[in-house]
């Protein structure tokens, strides 16, 4: 037989002109690339206890991920209702930010400015993400042979730049006010705008969480919890307004700097995720999981080089497996198919794998890959 065999297909594709059915649904609990568990496709949602105050405060100080893979999951992608919930809730955040901006212009509150920019940035980041998601659904072409999933990486860069600009702007405004303190005008309006920000985020949180649980979307539920903790930023503005009302003029810029610090934490997290994605980084635990799954396939003697890479919010795999050197081409093909099948179940968000089958070497046999060595070192 030939010294190599490759097999690849994605969901919904038919390699070699033959359909390949997995025979059972691919809807079971998975962990994402950071180890968080998602229950998918079970047809019902399990109630989750509401997070306590201590948990919410801890979450407020934890950077929120803006990684595309965290924003979209199969339940959300496949549900028009889920996507509608995402856009409606982001529209509410945008309206909230607009109402706050009017008060910012009247009062000059830099704390409220920071909260407004934070809410506006959350709303605006959905625009490049939505465009990238629409592009990512387009079929591959002879020019873009891997499809358009990389558009999501460009969206990630746009999101990072948006967050960076918002952090720089709020920092500039807060520092300027510290150097030149002055009273905040229309304090009652500032307090009302802060409450509007809190109510807007809480409404979005409840809406996203409810719809997310109904359609089984872990990503939408997580985004709802994100919005709920963002409401604390608005309450911080309320504290700043209270301090200003008591005559402490530095309360407003200090709260503004605190909000800037929160945005900076989000920026750090988002920039790290985007950099890793652009550099094709994956969680090493995913590689370990993939290797264990393939080694358990009957007929696989060893797993050679294994590579995983993100294309948009989907993963692709390339790997080599060692099989019996006396196996027929059909047998090697069957092992390759089973190896891919095992990977699709073991690795969340994996949509295709290229499996290369090598025959087990015999004593004295020359490695057939030596003919390729000079290409690898060129």
């Amino acid at each position: 037989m030939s010294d190599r065999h490759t097999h690849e297909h994605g969901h919904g594709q038919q390699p070699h002109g033959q359909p390949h059915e997995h025979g059972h649904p691919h809807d079971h609990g998975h962990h994402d690339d950071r180890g968080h568990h998602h229950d998918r496709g079970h047809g019902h949602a399990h109630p989750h206890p509401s997070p306590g105050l201590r948990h919410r405060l801890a979450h407020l100080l934890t950077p929120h991920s803006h990684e595309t893979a965290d924003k979209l999951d199969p339940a959300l992608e496949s549900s028009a209702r889920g996507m509608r919930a995402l856009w409606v809730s982001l529209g509410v955040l945008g309206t909230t930010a607009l109402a706050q901006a009017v008060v910012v212009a009247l009062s000059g509150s830099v704390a409220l400015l920071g909260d407004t920019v934070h809410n506006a940035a959350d709303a605006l980041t959905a625009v490049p993400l939505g465009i990238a998601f629409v592009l990512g659904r387009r079929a591959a072409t002879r020019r873009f042979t891997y499809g358009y999933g990389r558009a999501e990486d460009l969206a990630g860069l746009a999101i990072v730049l948006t967050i960076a600009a918002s952090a720089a702007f709020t920092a500039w405004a807060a520092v300027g006010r510290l150097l030149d303190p002055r009273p905040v005008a229309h304090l009652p309006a500032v307090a009302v705008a802060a409450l509007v920000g809190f109510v807007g985020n809480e409404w979005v949180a409840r809406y996203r969480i409810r719809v997310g649980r109904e359609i089984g979307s872990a990503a939408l539920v997580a985004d709802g919890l994100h919005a709920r903790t963002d409401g604390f930023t608005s309450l911080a503005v309320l504290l700043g307004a209270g301090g200003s009302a008591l005559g402490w003029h530095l309360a407003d810029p200090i709260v503004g700097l605190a909000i800037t610090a929160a945005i900076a934490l989000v920026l750090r997290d988002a920039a790290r995720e985007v950099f890793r994605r652009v550099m094709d980084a994956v969680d090493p635990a995913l590689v370990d999981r993939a290797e264990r799954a393939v080694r358990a396939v009957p007929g696989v003697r060893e797993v050679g080089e294994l590579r995983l890479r993100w294309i948009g919010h989907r993963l692709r795999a390339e790997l080599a497996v060692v099989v019996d050197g006396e196996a027929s081409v059909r047998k090697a093909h069957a092992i390759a198919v089973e190896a891919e099948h095992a990977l699709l179940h073991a690795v969340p968000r994996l949509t295709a794998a290229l499996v290369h089958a090598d025959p087990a070497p015999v004593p004295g046999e020359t490695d057939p890959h030596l003919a390729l060595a000079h290409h690898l070192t060129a």
Side-chain angles (χ1 to χ4, degrees):
M1 69 173 249
S2 168
D3 69 291
R4 58 181 285 181
H5 168 79
T6 57
H7 176 77
E8 177 186 20
H9 74 275
H11 291 304
Q13 297 176 342
Q14 296 180 353
H16 313 305
Q18 300 173 352
H20 174 68
E21 299 293 340
H22 291 315
H24 56 280
H26 189 53
D27 297 330
H28 51 272
H30 282 312
H31 290 75
D32 68 13
D33 56 321
R34 272 171 302 285
H36 303 302
H37 189 270
H38 299 272
D39 291 320
R40 302 177 183 169
H42 291 292
H44 61 277
H46 300 284
H48 299 282
S50 298
L53 178 60
R54 181 178 177 182
H55 172 78
R56 293 181 187 179
L57 290 174
H59 187 68
L60 178 64
L61 298 176
T62 303
H64 303 303
S65 175
H66 282 73
E67 187 182 0
T68 305
D70 287 337
K71 298 291 185 184
L72 300 167
D73 64 12
L76 180 56
E77 292 174 67
S78 62
S79 171
R81 185 182 176 200
M83 294 304 294
R84 183 171 63 252
L86 189 62
W87 287 107
V88 168
S89 59
L90 288 170
V92 171
L93 282 180
T95 303
T96 299
L98 183 61
Q100 290 180 312
V102 173
V103 179
V104 168
L106 295 174
S107 66
S109 169
V110 294
L112 184 60
L113 173 65
D115 189 43
T116 302
V117 170
H118 190 184
N119 287 326
D122 268 355
L124 290 176
T125 53
V127 176
L129 183 62
I131 294 173
F133 180 60
V134 171
L135 283 176
R137 283 179 157 179
R138 297 179 61 180
T141 66
R142 293 186 64 83
R143 180 178 295 276
F144 297 96
T145 56
Y146 280 95
Y148 294 82
R150 286 290 187 184
E152 293 180 11
D153 295 334
L154 297 179
L157 291 174
I159 289 171
V160 167
L161 291 176
T162 300
I163 299 172
S166 64
F169 183 64
T170 54
W172 172 78
V175 170
R177 185 60 57 85
L178 277 175
L179 297 177
D180 182 21
R182 57 180 182 269
V184 177
H186 303 288
L187 283 175
V190 173
V192 170
L195 290 175
V196 167
F198 175 77
V199 171
N201 277 290
E202 182 61 21
W203 186 92
V204 165
R206 290 175 180 270
Y207 181 49
R208 287 178 177 175
I209 292 171
R210 175 172 56 82
V211 176
R213 287 175 178 170
E214 288 174 356
I215 68 174
S217 170
L220 196 55
V221 172
D223 242 11
L225 294 174
H226 174 178
R228 174 161 287 165
T229 55
D230 280 348
F232 282 93
T233 305
S234 298
L235 292 183
V237 176
L238 192 60
L239 292 177
S244 297
L246 294 175
W248 187 33
H249 299 321
L250 292 181
D252 184 68
I254 287 176
V255 171
L257 285 177
I259 294 174
T260 300
I263 298 175
L265 288 175
V266 174
L267 174 63
R268 182 194 66 178
D269 184 56
R272 182 177 63 243
E273 295 293 350
V274 169
F275 173 78
R276 288 176 177 174
R277 185 59 60 86
V278 171
M279 296 299 293
D280 283 332
V282 296
D283 188 342
L286 283 180
V287 181
D288 295 338
R289 174 187 285 188
E291 287 181 341
R292 287 195 300 269
V294 174
R295 284 197 176 98
V297 173
V300 174
R301 295 191 175 185
E302 187 53 71
V303 179
E305 186 176 51
L306 189 152
R307 295 179 179 178
L308 295 171
R309 72 185 306 182
W310 289 98
I311 298 180
H313 57 284
R314 298 299 190 190
L315 278 168
R316 292 179 66 94
E318 299 175 6
L319 71 151
V321 296
V322 177
V323 301
D324 183 2
E326 302 302 320
S328 66
V329 173
R330 290 186 181 277
K331 179 62 176 176
H333 177 270
I335 294 171
V337 170
E338 196 54 39
E340 181 184 10
H341 193 184
L343 280 173
L344 290 171
H345 281 279
V347 181
R349 300 194 181 99
L350 182 71
T351 56
L354 179 66
V355 183
H356 172 110
D358 284 325
V362 298
E365 181 184 24
T366 302
D367 184 355
H369 297 101
L370 287 178
L372 306 175
H374 69 283
H375 292 285
L376 301 177
T377 57

